[in-house]
Amino acid sequence: MTTQNDTILLFRNTMRITDGHLESFRSAIVRAVEFAQQHGPQLMVQTFVDEERMLAHSFQLYRDSDAVRTHWKIADPYIQEVMKHCRVERFEVFGEPDADVVAGVRSGVGEQCSLTFSPRIAGFVRFTAASQA
């Protein structure tokens, strides 16, 4: 039997911010996260910036592979705007997305960065999408 926790996906995206683009990057991230909060399927989005190393770390929690596909479909303009100011250095997928999402992630990051997939062993979530409103 598959439970909701079995389909949960956590993405960690480590981005190298382009020199001279920190403020533009910040603005693009804020707009993208505001859009995701209002319209996206994510259960959680958090982005952190290490200014000293010019790195940003984005964590996104999805209910399942369908939610990832929905995010890609509706958020592409925001993703493209963020990518004008950085490059993906490392992308980590925690959980087991379906083959379509695996292919989409591989295609999206190409050969530009380190990509890893780590299957879930155990865990739980204490909040629901309804409690995020």
Side-chain angles (χ1 to χ4, degrees):
M1 178 168 102
T2 300
T3 67
Q4 180 179 351
N5 286 339
D6 291 340
T7 62
I8 292 252
L9 299 170
L10 177 64
F11 289 1
R12 178 182 180 191
N13 180 3
T14 301
M15 297 160 279
R16 171 77 53 195
I17 302 165
T18 305
D19 288 339
H21 287 243
L22 181 59
E23 290 312 312
S24 296
F25 175 82
R26 281 182 184 276
S27 295
I29 285 288
V30 166
R31 285 190 302 276
V33 171
E34 286 173 350
F35 176 83
Q37 184 176 16
Q38 293 176 15
H39 306 287
Q42 295 93 326
L43 300 173
M44 180 271 301
V45 175
Q46 293 290 328
T47 305
F48 305 88
V49 175
D50 176 347
E51 289 185 24
E52 185 176 314
R53 293 184 182 90
M54 289 296 280
L55 291 174
H57 305 277
S58 174
F59 297 86
Q60 296 191 31
L61 185 65
Y62 297 92
R63 182 173 289 109
D64 54 26
S65 292
D66 287 338
V68 174
R69 278 187 286 279
T70 298
H71 165 65
W72 289 342
K73 183 178 177 180
I74 67 173
D76 187 60
Y78 295 90
I79 295 167
Q80 296 306 317
E81 185 61 32
V82 168
M83 295 312 299
K84 290 178 182 178
H85 309 290
C86 67
R87 68 175 170 77
V88 177
E89 193 163 276
R90 180 172 180 80
F91 199 91
E92 299 165 272
V93 177
F94 299 93
E96 298 180 67
D98 64 24
D100 181 50
V101 170
V102 169
V105 169
R106 288 190 191 285
S107 171
V109 300
E111 300 294 319
Q112 69 177 326
C113 73
S114 173
L115 172 62
T116 59
F117 291 87
S118 300
R120 179 181 173 277
I121 294 174
F124 65 91
V125 175
R126 289 201 189 271
F127 58 84
T128 64
S131 68
Q132 296 298 304

